Amino acid sequence: MKGLFTVIFLLIFWNAHGLEATGTISGTIYDASGKPMPYATVLIKKLNIGISSDDNGVYSIDKVPFGEHTVLVNFIGYNTVTKTIRLNNKNFDTKLNFVLEEKTESLNEINVIGKTEETEIETQGFAVNVIKTKEASLRNIQTNELLNTTVGVKIRQNGGLGSEVRYSLNGLSGNSVRIFIDGIPISIYGSSFNLNSIPPSMIKNIEVYKGVVPGHLADDALGGAINIVLHKSAQSNFNASASYGSFNTFQTSVNGLYRYKESGFTVKASAFHNYSDNDYKVSGRSVVVTGLGGVQTPVTARRFNDAYRSTGGMAQIGFTDVKWADQFLIGLTGSDDYKEVQHGAFMTIIPYKGRFLESEALLSTLTYQKRDFLIDGLDVNVNGTYGKRNRIVNDTVAAAYSWNGQRAIDFRGNEYNYSWGSQQEGGPTLTKIDRNVASIRTGLSYAINKHHKFLVNHVYSGVDREDSDALRSVLENTFKGTRDLNKNIYSLTYELSALDDRLKASLFGKYYQQETISIDPTIEKGADGKSKIVDETVSSNKKHDGYGFALSYALNSKITLLTSAEKAVRLPSETEVFGDDGDNVIANSSINPEQSRNYNVGFRLGTFAIRKHNFVVSTNLFARNIKDRIGLPIETSLNVDDELILYVNQGTATSKGIDTQLNYSYNKNFGLNFNVSRFDLKVINRGIEIDVPNTPFFTMNGSLRYSFKDLIQKNSRLNLFYTMYFTDDFSYITSQGTNTVGNDFFNVPQQLAQDFGLSYAFPKNRVVASFDIKNIFDKPVYDNLSVQKPGRAFYLKLNYSINKF
């Protein structure tokens, strides 16, 4: 891998380009009012080359041979426009803008020419949804909230802003679901750089793959993958936003890019800051105050040790859209966060006060992308990350507290301290976890012609971890334990497009390799009675292979059949193997990889356009057969108040279910999205097949949008939004057979949360103001047993952007 990376890095500076004289045609698509039109189809007729305009209506087609060409632009509901242009030595980089007029005649049906980028992805055979973030970026919506409205996706969060988040796709959750930023595993960046820290304005779209993951992502994503695709436009732009709301929550972000047109030199930067007291009210079985005689009184209390702060940024310099690179950027990414810890894995009757976590990361990055590298059809993509990140767990307060924020008392009425000297059992700690992290993602793709394409991908990720505790003795800290994890995943993919692009197939194979080494120095007495240092070493080297396919067939322009299957492998994560004091996780060096055979079959109907009505319906049936499923121990007793958790291999599991989604719009003013997901997830426990506990099996999401044009001011727009989230009840523990007495104690009740929002876009769309109400009716909401999420909350946000300067 290192040799391949070196060769590619050196070849970056080889000014190799074709001998044929070519130029570039680029520009912007506008409607009659002057607003940019995203996703319009641009086609060079003679060459049969097509592209869609981006979010800002901008398009660019390079390597166009010199000569005369006719350029055609089309969009649903608008008249097609054509222009003729000649490229030559004096006119090789041409700007060609288009203005589209809306059709005035009424039609029963409008035929679609071309596909949007997200439609292309969603019709390749994979069970995938593509989420656009442009609209959400103008509101006070977190990336996780946006994901939570997607069919088959359930976000499990332990509280408010900054709390632990688990992602569930069709019931498979935790580390079975991998998160990527432009194909790089997000785990490399550390806890201080997470999806809630990345403002939607930085994100172009989000790809959600359920079950079967394409080879180009090349990771051990057994249950699926979420790939965050950041904006890569080389057009100079700037965006800034700030919001304030309930629980003293303040969030701000700024990002921009400037490109020198003559040289292609590009400067790109972004920054974010988030803060919240998270002092929302909670109640329930664990929120009590213990008085004299041990009498427990239920109360409604505010969380008082749950504040969160995160700050970070990225800066990159390099070149974009030059002959030797589409992108060549080097940069730094830095972030840090502070998180107070209110309780352990579950809310207990005695909360924490004084326990907190701190994290920071500083990483260098390299990005290189080039289409038609050296030869036509050969594309290169390299992303590298290297740096340090660390985490500190601070727990030194021995005093016990109650949910009213005051000192806890014993049955005699006396304030008391924990005998172990800290909030969490195990004694006071100032644990520091230092990590050196590295990740290199390399991709080569070669298109033989428009029908056949091969892709080779490799991802390496490594963690060199060292744990220490300032409260330990000098001797103990002198001989620190080390934890090393190195993972390599290779993939080879063949893509076929046939029958006039009606048939699309992707065949891929994957190879997984992971090595873990845990070394803990100890002092032992030898046979001669003298003390000596002995390294206790636990290591493993696991190798597996996988394979799969995705297939789609378009019966016509409106009906596409989709199917995919994969033998997938998920290697244990660093936390599952080595543990993590900050997340209350115990080490398990003997845990095995989990394997699954994933199957999807479904269809996509649409887009149907009838007069001013547009709608799309999609359905996916899925099945998962899992071996050595990794998760928390199957709970069959009352030990749910444990502060610590241990990941284990639960055994064999199966999952079967269905996802259905409807998207509807009318006259570009009204939009509706509704989706349903239902499945069974069973595991063999002690020879008996049972429902996997702590899993919601039935969810529904819906959203409405309505727009008013030219309200108050001409060329302005007011958008109204409504969103609902329904989760059926589920139990934290397994069924106790015919004896159901007390089972209600462990049930997470049926929930319906509803949000409302509005945004006002001033003329020219540079300034947008938005107001959001979360959980309108202030209903108790839980993703995990007894851990209550925030109630009703209000947020105001201002967004300012310049798309071109």
Side-chain angles (χ1 to χ4, degrees):
M1 172 57 203
K2 292 181 179 179
L4 176 61
F5 181 73
T6 302
V7 170
I8 292 173
F9 186 78
L10 292 175
L11 287 175
I12 288 173
F13 299 96
W14 184 358
N15 187 4
H17 51 86
L19 297 177
E20 183 181 13
T22 62
T24 300
I25 300 175
S26 62
T28 306
I29 315 299
Y30 300 96
D31 63 13
S33 66
K35 294 182 180 179
M37 296 185 62
Y39 322 128
T41 301
V42 184
L43 179 69
I44 300 178
K45 294 180 65 174
K46 183 172 66 174
L47 301 177
N48 197 27
I49 298 175
I51 194 172
S52 294
S53 58
D54 66 13
D55 293 342
N56 302 311
V58 177
Y59 74 94
S60 179
I61 305 175
D62 57 7
K63 294 193 177 300
V64 180
F66 282 0
E68 188 173 274
H69 300 283
T70 299
V71 183
L72 177 150
V73 177
N74 175 275
F75 193 81
I76 298 172
Y78 287 77
N79 293 317
T80 300
V81 177
T82 60
K83 289 185 179 181
T84 300
I85 191 172
R86 175 174 290 278
L87 294 183
N88 51 44
N89 289 324
K90 295 182 180 181
N91 188 31
F92 61 87
D93 189 359
T94 300
K95 297 294 182 183
L96 196 62
N97 297 332
F98 291 83
V99 177
L100 302 187
E101 297 284 347
E102 197 165 1
K103 290 184 177 180
T104 56
E105 68 273 17
S106 297
L107 297 178
N108 290 329
E109 184 171 336
I110 300 172
N111 293 323
V112 179
I113 299 178
K115 295 181 179 179
T116 64
E117 181 181 357
E118 58 266 30
T119 302
E120 285 285 354
I121 297 174
E122 292 179 347
T123 55
Q124 289 179 350
F126 296 93
V128 57
N129 295 99
V130 179
I131 308 168
K132 303 298 293 182
T133 62
K134 182 177 181 180
E135 199 170 73
S137 67
L138 305 178
R139 301 177 56 203
N140 197 78
I141 293 181
Q142 303 297 321
T143 304
N144 281 333
E145 292 178 272
L146 196 59
L147 282 167
N148 209 26
T149 63
T150 305
V151 62
V153 180
K154 178 64 179 174
I155 305 298
R156 310 285 298 278
Q157 189 161 357
N158 255 17
L161 184 67
S163 61
E164 181 189 8
V165 177
R166 297 175 66 214
Y167 301 86
S168 175
L169 300 182
N170 295 148
L172 302 186
S173 61
N175 288 307
S176 293
V177 178
R178 296 300 192 198
I179 314 296
F180 301 88
I181 300 178
D182 284 335
I184 291 289
I186 196 172
S187 57
I188 289 293
Y189 297 93
S191 61
S192 56
F193 199 93
N194 53 53
L195 291 193
N196 270 348
S197 298
I198 306 173
S201 61
M202 292 175 56
I203 301 172
K204 179 183 179 183
N205 58 49
I206 304 173
E207 301 168 351
V208 181
Y209 292 92
K210 288 168 283 187
V212 181
V213 178
H216 72 263
L217 286 179
D219 207 344
D220 55 333
L222 174 138
I226 299 172
N227 186 34
I228 307 298
V229 182
L230 302 180
H231 284 292
K232 297 181 179 64
S233 172
Q235 176 178 295
S236 297
N237 62 81
F238 176 81
N239 179 275
S241 66
S243 71
Y244 183 79
S246 299
F247 322 122
N248 194 30
T249 301
F250 176 72
Q251 296 179 276
T252 184
S253 69
V254 59
N255 58 83
L257 178 148
Y258 187 81
R259 180 179 185 271
Y260 294 85
K261 295 181 179 180
E262 293 77 11
S263 65
F265 183 74
T266 302
V267 179
K268 187 176 182 181
S270 62
F272 64 84
H273 177 75
N274 305 303
Y275 177 82
S276 179
D277 287 338
N278 280 326
D279 57 344
Y280 58 91
K281 293 181 179 180
V282 292
S283 59
R285 65 176 185 84
S286 299
V287 185
V288 300
V289 172
T290 304
L292 291 174
V295 176
Q296 295 181 347
T297 303
V299 296
T300 297
R302 286 192 177 276
R303 295 169 75 95
F304 53 86
N305 188 57
D306 201 24
Y308 173 73
R309 173 192 53 76
S310 67
T311 305
M314 307 172 71
Q316 295 176 299
I317 60 171
F319 295 87
T320 57
D321 289 348
V322 291
K323 291 182 179 180
W324 51 273
D326 298 328
Q327 284 197 71
F328 173 65
L329 299 168
I330 57 174
L332 286 175
T333 296
S335 61
D336 76 274
D337 70 356
Y338 167 85
K339 178 70 175 74
E340 294 175 349
V341 182
Q342 185 71 84
H343 48 73
F346 308 100
M347 289 175 62
T348 57
I349 61 174
I350 302 181
Y352 297 160
K353 186 174 184 179
R355 179 179 171 90
F356 64 89
L357 312 174
E358 292 180 294
S359 303
E360 61 181 15
L362 182 63
L363 305 110
S364 57
T365 62
L366 167 68
T367 300
Y368 177 72
Q369 295 178 358
K370 182 67 178 77
R371 290 172 295 175
D372 298 325
F373 180 76
L374 302 181
I375 59 175
D376 288 344
L378 178 63
D379 298 342
V380 176
N381 189 328
V382 178
N383 289 276
T385 304
Y386 177 79
K388 295 179 177 291
R389 71 173 202 259
N390 63 56
R391 194 179 202 193
I392 297 174
V393 181
N394 189 310
D395 191 349
T396 59
V397 177
Y401 288 84
S402 291
W403 273 106
N404 57 13
Q406 301 175 2
R407 290 289 304 275
I409 60 175
D410 59 22
F411 69 97
R412 294 188 180 91
N414 299 319
E415 295 179 350
Y416 70 92
N417 294 333
Y418 295 118
S419 59
W420 49 83
S422 59
Q423 299 292 293
Q424 182 175 291
E425 293 184 28
T429 181
L430 284 173
T431 299
K432 185 176 183 181
I433 303 175
D434 291 313
R435 297 176 174 92
N436 292 320
V437 297
S439 178
I440 300 174
R441 175 179 177 268
T442 304
L444 298 173
S445 68
Y446 180 63
I448 300 174
N449 51 44
K450 66 178 183 179
H451 301 295
H452 306 279
K453 186 176 184 179
F454 288 92
L455 301 92
V456 179
N457 294 90
H458 170 237
V459 169
Y460 164 80
S461 57
V463 178
D464 182 0
R465 169 176 153 179
E466 188 175 86
D467 298 4
S468 62
D469 191 335
L471 298 184
R472 292 180 181 177
S473 66
V474 175
L475 182 61
E476 288 177 306
N477 277 321
T478 300
F479 306 107
K480 300 177 181 178
T482 60
R483 310 285 185 265
D484 295 336
L485 184 149
N486 294 283
K487 179 168 66 176
N488 288 279
I489 300 176
Y490 304 85
S491 70
L492 174 63
T493 304
Y494 166 67
E495 294 182 354
L496 169 69
S497 178
L499 303 178
D500 295 326
D501 289 337
R502 293 171 63 188
L503 174 66
K504 295 181 180 180
S506 176
L507 306 175
F508 56 87
K510 299 179 182 179
Y511 177 76
Y512 310 84
Q513 181 268 332
Q514 177 171 283
E515 181 182 23
T516 61
I517 303 174
S518 176
I519 301 176
D520 289 299
T522 62
I523 299 177
E524 296 182 357
K525 285 188 177 182
D528 56 1
K530 295 182 179 180
S531 297
K532 60 179 181 179
I533 300 172
V534 177
D535 286 340
E536 292 185 351
T537 302
V538 178
S539 63
S540 70
N541 191 355
K542 296 179 171 61
K543 300 177 181 179
H544 294 271
D545 56 48
Y547 45 84
F549 75 90
L551 183 70
S552 70
Y553 182 74
L555 297 178
N556 54 45
S557 62
K558 302 292 191 296
I559 303 176
T560 304
L561 305 180
L562 311 164
T563 185
S564 58
E566 180 183 13
K567 176 199 171 186
V569 176
R570 205 270 282 182
L571 303 166
S573 70
E574 173 203 349
T575 298
E576 291 165 341
V577 176
F578 301 138
D580 191 315
D581 290 340
D583 291 328
N584 298 345
V585 181
I586 303 172
N588 184 359
S589 59
S590 62
I591 195 167
N592 292 319
E594 60 179 334
Q595 303 179 49
S596 180
R597 296 186 182 274
N598 301 330
Y599 307 95
N600 297 303
V601 60
F603 59 83
R604 188 180 192 275
L605 305 179
T607 302
F608 291 99
I610 304 174
R611 295 189 177 179
K612 296 182 179 181
H613 304 269
N614 292 272
F615 60 91
V616 178
V617 178
S618 60
T619 294
N620 180 55
L621 296 165
F622 60 88
R624 316 281 186 255
N625 296 321
I626 310 162
K627 176 184 177 184
D628 289 332
R629 182 178 188 265
I630 297 175
L632 301 180
I634 301 295
E635 300 287 352
T636 56
S637 60
L638 305 184
N639 60 342
V640 296
D641 287 336
D642 289 349
E643 296 178 345
L644 303 177
I645 57 178
L646 171 74
Y647 287 99
V648 299
N649 292 111
Q650 294 177 339
T652 301
T654 58
S655 176
K656 298 177 181 178
I658 183 172
D659 292 338
T660 300
Q661 178 169 266
L662 166 67
N663 291 315
Y664 168 79
S665 65
Y666 173 75
N667 197 29
K668 300 181 182 178
N669 287 335
F670 176 76
L672 178 148
N673 175 282
F674 179 77
N675 61 70
V676 178
S677 179
R678 183 152 202 160
F679 63 91
D680 293 321
L681 180 60
K682 299 182 180 295
V683 65
I684 304 298
N685 183 46
R686 300 178 183 177
I688 302 175
E689 186 178 66
I690 60 172
D691 290 330
V692 172
N694 195 29
T695 302
F697 298 111
F698 180 41
T699 58
M700 290 190 298
N701 301 303
S703 62
L704 299 174
R705 175 187 59 82
Y706 192 83
S707 298
F708 298 90
K709 297 179 180 179
D710 301 326
L711 187 69
I712 302 177
Q713 302 177 83
K714 189 175 181 180
N715 295 326
S716 66
R717 181 183 290 263
L718 173 68
N719 297 307
L720 303 180
F721 304 92
Y722 166 81
T723 308
M724 58 81 70
Y725 311 87
F726 172 83
T727 304
D728 203 6
D729 63 323
F730 59 96
S731 177
Y732 178 77
I733 64 171
T734 61
S735 173
Q736 304 298 298
T738 57
N739 179 18
T740 60
V741 177
N743 275 11
D744 290 345
F745 185 81
F746 300 99
N747 279 349
V748 178
Q750 188 180 91
Q751 301 165 75
L752 176 64
Q754 302 172 73
D755 299 342
F756 172 79
L758 60 87
S759 68
Y760 184 80
F762 291 82
K764 297 183 180 180
N765 280 330
R766 287 192 174 183
V767 178
V768 179
S770 67
F771 177 71
D772 286 271
I773 308 175
K774 306 293 178 66
N775 197 351
I776 306 171
F777 300 105
D778 200 25
K779 296 293 185 180
V781 181
Y782 305 86
D783 282 334
N784 295 295
L785 179 67
S786 82
V787 184
Q788 190 171 342
K789 297 172 64 178
R792 184 189 296 119
F794 304 88
Y795 300 95
L796 178 66
K797 181 177 181 179
L798 292 176
N799 191 91
Y800 176 77
S801 61
I802 303 176
N803 294 323
K804 186 176 181 180
F805 58 84

